[in-house]
Every structure is written in C-alpha cells, then in structure tokens.
Amino acid sequence: MDEKKVSKNPWGISDEKAERLAAATLEFYYRFMERPDARELLEKRKAELRERGIL
C-alpha cells in the first residue's frame, strides 16, 4: 500500500527546503540586527503591525 508522504511543515514544501529557508531567515535577521538603527526600525514595524491588528 502506497502512502502519500506528508510534510511536517504547514507550507507544503520539503523539510530540506524548510531548513534552508530557516537558515536564510536567521542569516538575514543577524545581518539586519547588526545595523545601528535596527532596533528603531524593528520597533517601528512592530507598531505598524499592532495598528493593523496583526500583532
């Protein structure tokens, strides 16, 4: 009996692609946080998201 392999992640991509996406996201985050104005930009974005009811 063939069973369809179900991905564990909610995006329907392979686990390998999900791991690469996570690694790329972390790399971007660390590079972003090295900016001198990163904290201000992050707080501004969070405030915008709160206004829209997303956070």
Side-chain angles (χ1 to χ4, degrees):
M1 192 184 242
D2 277 335
E3 290 185 21
K4 185 178 178 183
K5 185 176 179 182
V6 178
S7 178
K8 295 177 185 175
N9 61 60
W11 307 287
I13 59 176
S14 71
D15 290 341
E16 181 182 344
K17 285 184 181 180
E19 287 176 12
R20 286 194 309 238
L21 176 61
T25 301
L26 278 175
E27 180 184 348
F28 171 80
Y29 175 76
Y30 288 129
R31 251 187 304 133
F32 174 80
M33 290 308 290
E34 288 176 356
R35 293 175 50 150
D37 61 343
R39 176 74 54 197
E40 295 166 7
L41 291 173
L42 188 59
E43 292 303 320
K44 181 180 175 185
R45 181 67 175 151
K46 285 176 16 181
E48 291 170 0
L49 292 173
R50 284 187 192 106
E51 272 183 27
R52 294 171 50 194
I54 296 174
L55 286 180

